[in-house]
Amino acid sequence: MKHKEMVYVTPMPVRIWHWLNAFGIVTLCVTGLQIRFPDHINIFGAYKAAIRLHNTAGVVVSISYTLWLGYYLFVAKSLIKQYVPTVEDITSGIFRQAFFYFLTYFLGKPNPHHSTPDHKFNPMQKATYLMIMLVLLPLVIFSGALLMYVAPLRELLLLLGGIKTLVGTHFLIACCFTAFLFVHIYLATLGHTPLSHFKPMWNGWEEEMVEDSKPENTVGS
Ligand code: HEM
């Protein structure tokens, strides 16, 4: 038999960061589409309006990213524990989790990972979030900042391969974010109910389905 247990896994600063960041990244992707393909896509009217909105969303995402990093490094002090996969995660955990997502989930088997406040993420989440949060997001912010200030940062821009290389890199990372968004949202619906992973991003509490302990282990039995 299983019973429900409530675990507080997502503190308020992380929730505020997450939704501000999600809104900012979606805005960046949509405005970026118009900026990249102005002849085919026109959502925000004038081209300049799309650029203004894109730059504003970029600033919002950069500020919220700094707050996220500061929170995990200096307040929660759990960036490494939460986000860096262990050797066991890499050698077997990722495959166990992938097996669940690709096969055993559809056979009604339970998720091999159980969230606790100290180990919120399964090995696949850790690897993906590490790449997104500590590699791609800083890179897209850095390349975006260079593109926003082309004239004053000209020397640095040339050193990094010129504007074409930078625009190409920025666009490629944006494509990765778009792909991540679809997979991220789909996988987030694979909890024991479709919304069970969304609720903790709203109120902080995750509902865990836990096996009842055997009677001989139960206090007072
Ligand atoms: C509309 C867009 C988005 C939705 C609906 C969404 C949904 C969710 C949900 C349901 C969770 C909790 C389940 C889980 O951990 O997988 C989550 C966590 C997370 N999401 Fe998103 N997300 C969105 C956009 C993004 C974006 C754009 C990023 C990064 C660039 C992102 C990064 C993360 C991270 C790092 C976590 C773990 C947060 C923590 O507890 O420390 N999400 N998201």
Side-chain angles (χ1 to χ4, degrees):
M1 279 285 284
K2 286 182 178 175
H3 65 277
K4 255 191 234 164
E5 235 168 53
M6 300 301 284
V7 194
Y8 188 69
V9 285
T10 316
M12 171 123 52
V14 176
R15 283 178 270 149
I16 295 175
W17 157 77
H18 180 268
W19 293 117
L20 200 61
N21 179 67
F23 186 65
I25 299 269
V26 171
T27 309
L28 283 169
C29 290
V30 179
T31 48
L33 267 180
Q34 177 166 347
I35 295 167
R36 181 77 182 190
F37 305 107
D39 296 336
H40 306 285
I41 296 167
N42 185 350
I43 305 167
F44 301 96
Y47 183 70
K48 273 196 172 168
I51 292 190
R52 260 201 308 272
L53 190 54
H54 193 78
N55 290 352
T56 310
V59 172
V60 170
V61 165
S62 310
I63 294 172
S64 78
Y65 178 72
T66 313
L67 295 176
W68 171 86
L69 195 60
Y71 173 80
Y72 267 109
L73 279 178
F74 305 116
V75 182
K77 298 190 176 123
S78 61
L79 188 71
I80 293 179
K81 193 168 32 165
Q82 296 285 12
Y83 279 83
V84 179
T86 60
V87 174
E88 201 273 330
D89 286 337
I90 295 166
T91 52
S92 62
I94 288 183
F95 301 102
R96 191 168 54 237
Q97 197 62 39
F99 193 60
F100 168 72
Y101 282 141
F102 283 109
L103 182 70
T104 56
Y105 169 80
F106 298 102
L107 302 175
K109 297 275 189 285
N111 192 325
H113 176 80
H114 296 285
S115 290
T116 65
D118 282 345
H119 296 281
K120 279 195 286 191
F121 307 135
N122 68 49
M124 267 178 80
Q125 281 174 310
K126 277 192 207 172
T128 313
Y129 291 157
L130 182 76
M131 189 67 187
I132 291 286
M133 297 307 296
L134 294 179
V135 180
L136 294 184
L137 205 47
L139 266 180
V140 86
I141 289 173
F142 178 67
S143 54
L146 281 177
L147 291 170
M148 255 172 97
Y149 300 104
V150 169
L153 299 173
R154 193 173 169 276
E155 295 301 315
L156 183 59
L157 218 132
L158 289 174
L159 202 74
L160 294 171
I163 196 147
K164 269 196 171 168
T165 310
L166 208 69
V167 168
T169 311
H170 194 71
F171 178 66
L172 213 66
I173 304 173
C175 293
C176 295
F177 272 107
T178 310
F180 162 77
L181 262 179
F182 284 102
V183 178
H184 181 55
I185 296 171
Y186 166 65
L187 290 183
T189 63
L190 303 189
H192 68 274
T193 69
L195 288 182
S196 64
H197 290 321
F198 286 83
K199 284 184 193 155
M201 294 313 281
W202 177 252
N203 63 14
W205 292 89
E206 172 114 25
E207 238 175 47
E208 275 285 324
M209 297 308 288
V210 179
E211 287 287 347
D212 287 337
S213 43
K214 294 196 179 94
E216 59 266 29
N217 295 337
T218 314
V219 178
S221 67

